[in-house]
Amino acid sequence: MAEALTERSGAIDLVRIIAVAAIVAGHAFTREVTGELLYTWHVPVFFILSGYLWKPGRALRTELQRRWRSLGRPYVLWLALLTIIMVTMGFDDALDRVAKGAYGGGVAGMPYITLWFVSTLFFTALLFRLIERLPLSARWLLALAGAGAGWLCGPALSDTPLGVGMALTCLIYLLIGDGLRRVRERLRHPAVLGVLLFAVSAVLVGSGAARLIDIKQGQYGTPVLSLAVSAAISTGLILVAESVVRPGRFSRLCTLLALPLLTVVLMHPIFLWTPWPPAVTLAVGVLIPLSIGLLAMRTPAAPWFTGQVAWSQDQEER
């Protein structure tokens, strides 16, 4: 397990931890409290990270297989588990909730409210791989067209089965991440640039110039400006994290905690039904799913619960 922890970037895993905590906070507190502060970047950053960590040249079939293992299997398992939990609670509209949860995308309500993220990331990655051989300019034109479609008809794209339509609007984030990957080594002062991006974003959000982005609801904020802010904050997080996190214990701890984060994303909506204060809901909604995910990592069920290879299997493969 120790070897596995050193292979990943602790800095990138720290960004993932911050973003997942922001997602849970965005649900635990009202959107009026967290919307402008968190919604614009806490989901887009994962799409940007996918582009930033992109491995060029992989076959589409291989991409499909890898995304099924990391995203598809957890989607199926948690769709089933959430359905069992919800049905046992005896809601009068249980069948309607199940039907909408199975349909997915923006239509899905509690407790399926985060499944769209998994399916949309799945389809966006496949789309990005599909167009990979096109000239870079053509890829950017397609991504910009998708972003434009989000501003024009975002809710309609959100309400497509499994949120597949949102892959069009999220494609641009993978292009942004891929672009950052291409220029990263040429950035001489990444921490300073990251802080500057935070500052500019704060001004645009604080002044109301850049309205919040809520991808699930098909709300893409102020055309161009909100997209720029979400990209700037996500890029700033990456640059600052990579500047401050060095190989060592803290880096390994970040990776350890990041491995089961998909469990937190998919399980925490259950705790939104509790009558607890938002701060307690936030803490419990992170810590209990994280603990379950860490336990699952020690079992053969890890790929289904977390999208990650079980630690015992990882050691055998080595």
Side-chain angles (χ1 to χ4, degrees):
M1 182 182 74
E3 292 181 14
L5 296 182
T6 60
E7 288 185 352
R8 290 174 45 138
S9 166
I12 297 301
D13 283 328
L14 176 61
V15 174
R16 292 186 176 107
I17 292 168
I18 293 171
V20 168
I23 289 173
V24 180
H27 292 148
F29 294 85
T30 64
R31 200 168 91 158
E32 288 70 22
V33 174
T34 62
E36 303 293 342
L37 181 63
L38 303 178
Y39 273 66
T40 294
W41 61 269
H42 66 8
V43 169
V45 68
F46 284 101
F47 291 88
I48 289 177
L49 283 174
S50 293
Y52 187 59
L53 301 173
W54 193 254
K55 304 297 183 185
R58 185 180 290 161
L60 179 62
R61 180 178 179 179
T62 302
E63 189 70 38
L64 175 60
Q65 292 171 340
R66 293 178 67 91
R67 297 295 172 174
W68 166 252
R69 289 195 297 266
S70 63
L71 298 171
R73 289 190 294 194
Y75 185 99
V76 171
L77 175 70
W78 282 103
L79 175 63
L81 291 179
L82 291 172
T83 297
I84 293 170
I85 292 170
M86 191 270 298
V87 169
T88 59
M89 296 182 70
F91 288 101
D92 293 335
D93 60 344
L95 290 179
D96 182 61
R97 287 175 183 253
V98 171
K100 290 180 177 178
Y103 183 90
V107 172
M110 282 286 289
Y112 309 101
I113 58 173
T114 56
L115 284 172
W116 75 270
F117 160 70
V118 179
S119 58
T120 299
L121 182 57
F122 178 92
F123 290 120
T124 307
L126 293 182
L127 176 60
F128 194 53
R129 185 64 70 187
L130 185 65
I131 68 172
E132 185 178 37
R133 296 185 183 277
L134 294 177
L136 186 59
S137 58
R139 282 179 274 165
W140 272 102
L141 284 175
L142 288 172
L144 289 170
W151 293 318
L152 292 174
C153 53
L157 294 172
S158 172
D159 290 346
T160 51
L162 301 180
V164 64
M166 290 184 277
L168 298 174
T169 64
C170 292
L171 180 63
I172 194 165
Y173 288 118
L174 269 74
L175 262 294
I176 291 170
D178 181 63
L180 177 61
R181 175 181 62 83
R182 294 169 184 269
V183 304
R184 176 63 181 86
E185 294 301 321
R186 299 200 292 269
L187 300 179
R188 295 185 178 182
H189 304 288
V192 175
L193 177 57
V195 172
L196 180 61
L197 290 172
F198 291 152
V200 173
S201 299
V203 171
L204 291 173
V205 172
S207 66
R211 300 192 303 273
L212 70 85
I213 292 175
D214 188 341
I215 298 175
K216 181 177 185 289
Q217 302 302 325
Q219 299 173 3
Y220 292 91
T222 309
V224 181
L225 281 181
S226 294
L227 173 62
V229 166
S230 64
I233 295 174
S234 300
T235 300
L237 284 169
I238 294 169
L239 295 179
V240 171
E242 288 185 335
S243 299
V244 301
V245 177
R246 294 288 182 264
R249 291 183 179 180
F250 180 70
S251 177
R252 293 194 295 272
L253 176 62
C254 289
T255 294
L256 174 66
L257 296 178
L259 286 171
L261 280 179
L262 192 56
T263 303
V264 180
V265 172
L266 296 176
M267 184 180 180
H268 81 267
I270 297 171
F271 300 98
L272 303 179
W273 276 321
T274 64
W276 303 328
V280 176
T281 302
L282 169 60
V284 172
V286 170
L287 294 177
I288 291 182
L290 184 63
S291 300
I292 291 174
L294 288 170
L295 290 173
M297 288 295 299
R298 298 180 177 275
T299 74
W304 291 89
F305 273 86
T306 70
Q308 303 291 333
V309 176
W311 285 329
S312 58
Q313 181 181 347
D314 182 69
Q315 291 170 352
E316 291 174 2
E317 291 176 354
R318 293 173 187 279

